Amino acid sequence: MDAPWASGRGRPLKADGRRRGMTVAALLGLAVTLYAETLTPLGVAHGALYPLIILLAALGRQPRLVLLVSVVGAIFILVGIPLSPPPPSGISMDLVVANRSMSVAVVLVTGALALMMLRYLREANTALEELERTNQVLRQNKELLEIASESGHIGGWSADLETQRVYLSEEALRICGKPSGYTLSVEAAIAFYTPEYGKVIRGAFERCARDGAPFDEELLLLNDAGEAVWVRSIGKAVRDASGAITRVQGALQDIDQRKRAERSLQDLAERLTATLESITDGFFLLDRQWRFSFVNGRAESILRRRRVELLGQSIWDAFPEAIGTRFEEAYRKAVETGESVSFNAGFEPLDLWVDVRAYPSAEGLAVYFLDMTERHRLEQRLQQAKQLESVGKLTGGIAHDFNNLLTVIMGNIDLLGEQLDADSPLRPVVRTIGSAAQRGADLTHRLLAFARRQPLEPRAVNVNALLTRMEDLLRPAMGDHIAVTLRLSKQPWHAMVDPAELESAVLNVCINARAAMPDGGRLTLETINTHLDETYTDQGVDLRPGEYVVLAVSDTGHGIAAENLSHVFEPFFTTRPQGQGSGLGLSVVFGFIKQSRGHITIYSEPGQGTTVKLYLPRCIAGEEQPAQDVVDDSVPRGGQETILLVEDGSLVLQQAQGQLRALGYQVLCAEGGQQALTILDAHPEIDLLFTDMTMPGGMSGKQLAEAARSRYPNLKVLFTSGYTENAIVHAGRLDAGLHLLSKPYRRKDLARKLRTVLEEDAHGTPAADS
């Protein structure tokens, strides 16, 4: 495999051939000389030939051959004494021996010199080769340094402290915008920098020249074109053999692109930070070890923790309550799968409900979250209101039908009572049935109050005066172990509310407070005027902004557990032992307040007590209604008036017809609207239409009354109903000029109401008693 020598590099091949040629020549020379030894007697000429043969071996640069030729030549000279012809006459043998001995010395000396020469040449050649390799490395390093200098924009400089001259490399000159070979003074070099950075580099250079302190500064330099360029200047002191600082040298690097990129990145980071700080979402970043690396201001507010407390801390250490919750499950899933997640969840320790979006990345997890707590509460309230509304509809329907039955029962009880003798043994039974029926009527009244379907008669009420009147009732009702305190507003507004129902509501709340203080305590009733703006009313359901009279009832009882607070207004819900409460108290209050266009709130903590606030709408000028006269307990009899009775239930129709006739009235009956209109057309002398509000056949009592009055404008109308369905009751009050007798009613209530309506003049004013 001689291929390496065929690559075009022929010098090793020629040198090798020359060595072989010299070796062959030396060996032939030895053979010729030895042969000549046998032909001449003295061997002088032959001894002179050996150095030439040694020279040929030396030219082949073969030390071993030189040594061989030298030794063999010396031996041949000595062997030639016996082999050569005898010396000529006259020449002694001693001369021959001396001559050959001298030739041996010459050969050996020549061989030694040749070996020394070859050794020197070998060492010189080795040194030259090492020098060539060194030069090659230096050339390569220079090339790499030039590449690095050009690529890294790094130049060198050296300042001679004795001459105060600065020498710059080519790259350093390029950075400064100066031509090749340019030198300048130290002061001129410092003058390259802008004034503010010139002071910095001057101080750093002087400290290095004086104390040997190295420096590494990033500065702003003005090149020869007047352009501002960011550079990095590095310097260190150079000392002489005595330790004195003679020079300061270092490097100059163009870092303008890097600095501008850093500035751009910093501007981008600042804009991004400003954006993240301005968004309405909370935002934080977690690294791969679940540590907070960024927290915006909104997140601080929502999490109620300062960012300095969170940064660098693991989220599981900062919020250990989140371990094992939906938050940990979703975050770990996002990191493990590399897919974003979004979810809604509540965090009970902070009383939060948040909408979360988490996006994984190579750096960790970016989490956006929106505080949905208020919205969640509103949705819960709305859901609760819908549930209560559904229950209210069911309750109202049941109460309506039940009232019809009670009307029949109570009417028949009244008739039966009138027909029994005073000493009849059945009279106690009749009274017991009447009491039971009245209790049923009270229950349906409560159910209608909860369902917001009771007919209210709101008027201007001085709440302070109402509470003052109730104080004498409340103190004994609460018991000696409970102190009752009134804290009343000094300048109270009047509330637009049904006073009787308000008294009932206050009494219900106070009874609940009494049950919460079995071992005694304090009951406080307060009034205050307040204005609810849209910011507050937007958080409630069925609540309008405006002015309200607040009636607050506070106790120091055992309070209500958090899990029960959301249920306290539900009908039949109670925390009392079975048989000690109906669960209708607060639900009735709730229905009454809502029907009165007000608002109710309850605040309670276990062991701290409870406060119930009733927001009653302020009475607006022009809404005041005069108090009604108190009616005596007598049962007024009817005259010769004719009444058209309209009822959809046969039992109620029969019972009401009997009561009306017993009171002395002429009665015509109809079971629906169309039949009633037909009877009216046949008997235009009818004085009063007494109709139920709800009837089958597509015509309600109100529609019947409107149709009848369109034909007979002077016809008097009295409505009756188990509940109103808002047909003639709007916003908690009766429509102006209309009369309603709520079921169930007693005979005396029917008699009084009939006389009130029949004796009313055309302008709606009751006639004076005769």
Side-chain angles (χ1 to χ4, degrees):
M1 294 283 298
D2 295 330
W5 304 110
S7 61
R9 294 178 294 178
R11 291 181 60 189
L13 184 61
K14 292 180 178 179
D16 190 54
R18 184 171 57 250
R19 290 192 187 98
R20 288 197 295 269
M22 293 299 179
T23 301
V24 171
L27 294 176
L28 289 175
L30 282 175
V32 171
T33 304
L34 179 59
Y35 177 72
E37 284 283 359
T38 61
L39 298 178
T40 57
L42 296 178
V44 176
H46 310 115
L49 292 177
Y50 285 110
L52 294 178
I53 298 171
I54 292 173
L55 181 59
L56 288 175
L59 290 176
R61 295 186 180 183
Q62 298 185 63
R64 292 180 180 179
L65 183 60
V66 171
L67 180 60
L68 175 65
V69 171
S70 299
V71 173
V72 171
I75 293 172
F76 280 4
I77 292 174
L78 294 177
V79 171
I81 295 175
L83 295 179
S84 297
S89 59
I91 297 176
S92 66
M93 193 63 182
D94 293 334
L95 180 61
V96 173
V97 172
N99 179 47
R100 287 186 178 273
S101 297
M102 186 178 294
S103 295
V104 169
V106 171
V107 169
L108 292 177
V109 169
T110 301
L113 290 175
L115 288 174
M116 292 176 62
M117 182 189 69
L118 288 177
R119 181 179 180 184
Y120 172 76
L121 289 176
R122 184 172 64 252
E123 291 177 353
N125 187 58
T126 301
L128 287 175
E129 290 177 354
E130 184 66 27
L131 180 60
E132 177 62 23
R133 285 195 295 270
T134 301
N135 288 336
Q136 185 176 0
V137 171
L138 289 175
R139 285 193 300 270
Q140 291 175 347
N141 289 342
K142 182 180 179 182
E143 292 174 357
L144 293 175
L145 184 60
E146 289 176 352
I147 293 173
S149 177
E150 292 177 1
S151 301
H153 306 291
I154 301 175
W157 60 269
S158 177
D160 190 318
L161 297 181
E162 182 178 357
T163 62
Q164 289 291 299
R165 301 296 295 177
V166 179
Y167 303 91
L168 303 174
S169 70
E170 293 297 322
E171 184 62 21
L173 289 171
R174 187 200 64 76
I175 294 172
C176 297
K178 296 298 182 180
S180 178
Y182 183 84
T183 63
L184 67 164
S185 66
V186 170
E187 286 298 323
I190 293 175
F192 274 143
Y193 298 92
T194 60
E196 57 179 321
Y197 290 106
K199 297 178 182 179
V200 175
I201 193 62
R202 180 185 296 278
F205 182 85
E206 290 177 351
R207 285 190 296 273
C208 186
R210 182 182 65 249
D211 306 323
F215 61 87
D216 188 342
E217 303 286 350
E218 293 185 355
L219 312 161
L220 200 59
L221 175 147
L222 291 174
N223 62 20
D224 204 42
E227 299 171 340
V229 179
W230 279 101
V231 296
R232 179 187 179 192
S233 182
I234 304 171
K236 67 177 183 178
V238 179
R239 301 175 185 271
D240 60 12
S242 65
I245 299 174
T246 58
R247 287 184 298 118
V248 175
Q249 66 184 20
L252 187 70
Q253 182 181 13
D254 183 351
I255 60 172
D256 194 64
Q257 290 184 356
R258 193 200 80 191
K259 291 291 286 187
R260 296 186 187 280
E262 289 177 354
R263 180 70 260 180
S264 297
L265 288 175
Q266 185 176 355
D267 290 343
L268 179 61
E270 290 175 354
R271 290 196 299 271
L272 179 59
T273 301
T275 300
L276 292 175
E277 288 291 347
S278 65
I279 61 177
T280 57
D281 287 8
F283 176 79
F284 59 79
L285 291 174
L286 300 174
D287 63 17
R288 301 295 293 184
Q289 285 71 45
W290 302 102
R291 295 174 301 199
F292 287 97
S293 57
F294 178 83
V295 180
N296 74 348
R298 181 57 180 154
E300 284 186 298
S301 176
I302 296 175
L303 299 176
R304 302 168 201 168
R305 298 280 291 275
R306 294 187 303 162
R307 70 186 73 188
V308 294
E309 300 174 12
L310 296 176
L311 293 177
Q313 187 178 14
S314 167
I315 186 174
W316 314 125
D317 293 336
F319 300 99
E321 303 88 350
I323 297 175
T325 66
R326 174 72 173 126
F327 295 93
E328 182 185 21
E329 176 188 351
Y331 292 168
R332 292 191 183 277
K333 177 181 178 182
V335 171
E336 291 170 2
T337 63
E339 298 178 356
S340 61
V341 296
S342 60
F343 60 94
N344 293 315
F347 189 60
E348 186 174 349
L350 295 179
D351 192 22
L352 279 178
W353 190 272
V354 287
D355 178 27
V356 181
R357 288 156 292 151
Y359 303 92
S361 66
E363 290 74 25
L365 194 67
V367 180
Y368 296 82
F369 58 102
L370 184 63
D371 186 356
M372 304 290 289
T373 306
E374 289 304 319
R375 178 176 175 180
H376 182 66
R377 288 174 181 169
L378 287 177
E379 289 175 350
Q380 286 184 318
R381 291 176 187 171
L382 182 60
Q383 184 65 28
Q384 183 182 27
K386 289 181 178 179
Q387 291 175 350
L388 292 177
E389 182 68 21
S390 299
V391 175
K393 289 181 179 180
L394 175 63
T395 303
I398 294 173
H400 168 261
D401 294 339
F402 197 41
N403 274 335
N404 281 337
L405 297 175
L406 288 173
T407 300
V408 175
I409 294 172
M410 294 173 71
N412 288 325
I413 287 296
D414 288 339
L415 290 174
L416 183 59
E418 291 180 358
Q419 296 175 10
L420 291 176
D421 295 334
D423 57 352
S424 172
L426 295 178
R427 186 169 290 278
V429 177
V430 171
R431 283 197 298 269
T432 301
I433 297 174
S435 298
Q438 186 59 52
R439 290 182 63 184
D442 293 340
L443 177 60
T444 57
H445 179 78
R446 286 186 168 191
L447 293 175
L448 287 173
F450 162 72
R452 309 184 210 178
R453 287 171 171 81
Q454 61 175 333
L456 300 179
E457 297 183 8
R459 64 193 66 176
V461 175
N462 185 326
V463 181
N464 282 7
L466 183 143
L467 293 179
T468 302
R469 290 195 306 269
M470 291 186 67
E471 185 176 6
D472 293 337
L473 171 65
L474 289 175
R475 291 189 184 279
M478 292 296 103
D480 295 337
H481 63 299
I482 297 176
V484 179
T485 304
L486 299 185
R487 295 179 181 176
L488 307 179
S489 173
K490 294 182 179 180
Q491 295 180 335
W493 294 334
H494 282 65
M496 196 64 182
V497 68
D498 188 318
E501 295 298 333
L502 179 59
E503 287 184 4
S504 177
V506 172
L507 187 59
N508 266 320
V509 175
C510 290
I511 290 174
N512 279 349
R514 181 184 65 185
M517 298 183 288
D519 300 325
R522 180 178 294 104
L523 179 72
T524 304
L525 292 91
E526 303 175 75
T527 60
I528 188 173
N529 302 328
T530 190
H531 178 85
L532 301 183
D533 58 16
E534 292 182 355
T535 302
Y536 180 84
T537 58
D538 286 346
Q539 301 177 11
V541 180
D542 297 334
L543 183 60
R544 301 176 183 176
E547 295 176 331
Y548 292 82
V549 179
V550 181
L551 194 165
V553 182
S554 303
D555 65 61
T556 58
H558 49 61
I560 303 173
E563 61 269 19
N564 293 329
L565 271 178
S566 60
H567 302 289
V568 293
F569 296 129
E570 296 176 3
F572 307 112
F573 176 81
T574 180
T575 58
R576 300 183 196 176
Q578 188 173 1
Q580 296 186 17
S582 66
L584 286 174
L586 285 179
S587 62
V588 168
V589 176
F590 177 85
F592 158 66
I593 292 297
K594 289 298 183 180
Q595 190 175 351
S596 299
R597 294 181 296 179
H599 183 50
I600 182 171
T601 61
I602 184 167
Y603 306 90
S604 185
E605 292 184 18
Q608 302 298 318
T610 302
T611 295
V612 178
K613 290 185 177 181
L614 310 180
Y615 291 78
L616 309 173
R618 182 184 181 183
C619 179
I620 302 173
E623 287 187 338
E624 297 86 348
Q625 294 181 356
Q628 295 182 353
D629 295 334
V630 177
V631 182
D632 61 23
D633 199 38
S634 62
V635 180
R637 307 287 296 180
Q640 299 300 316
E641 293 93 348
T642 301
I643 296 176
L644 175 57
L645 174 63
V646 185
E647 273 285 358
D648 61 330
S650 59
L651 289 177
V652 181
L653 180 64
Q654 294 173 10
Q655 189 274 333
Q657 181 183 15
Q659 285 194 333
L660 291 173
R661 287 178 176 173
L663 290 172
Y665 295 102
Q666 303 295 319
V667 182
L668 298 175
C669 297
E671 294 183 355
Q674 291 299 331
Q675 185 181 2
L677 291 176
T678 301
I679 294 174
L680 274 173
D681 291 338
H683 301 275
E685 73 278 6
I686 292 175
D687 299 288
L688 182 141
L689 172 64
F690 183 32
T691 178
D692 194 357
M693 286 298 304
T694 56
M695 294 182 297
M699 181 178 288
S700 68
K702 185 177 182 181
Q703 291 172 332
L704 170 60
E706 291 173 351
R709 279 192 164 177
S710 67
R711 303 180 187 185
Y712 307 100
N714 295 326
L715 179 67
K716 304 296 179 64
V717 178
L718 174 61
F719 295 101
T720 183
S721 180
Y723 70 100
T724 64
E725 280 289 356
N726 291 324
I728 59 173
V729 175
H730 294 101
R733 67 181 66 188
L734 287 172
D735 289 345
L738 299 182
H739 299 278
L740 175 68
L741 180 62
S742 297
K743 296 178 181 178
Y745 49 80
R746 305 301 295 265
R747 183 182 178 194
K748 60 183 178 182
D749 299 325
L750 173 61
R752 293 171 189 152
K753 199 68 173 180
L754 286 172
R755 296 318 307 166
T756 298
V757 177
L758 286 169
E759 294 174 5
E760 189 177 57
D761 61 22
H763 300 289
T765 302
D769 293 337
S770 54

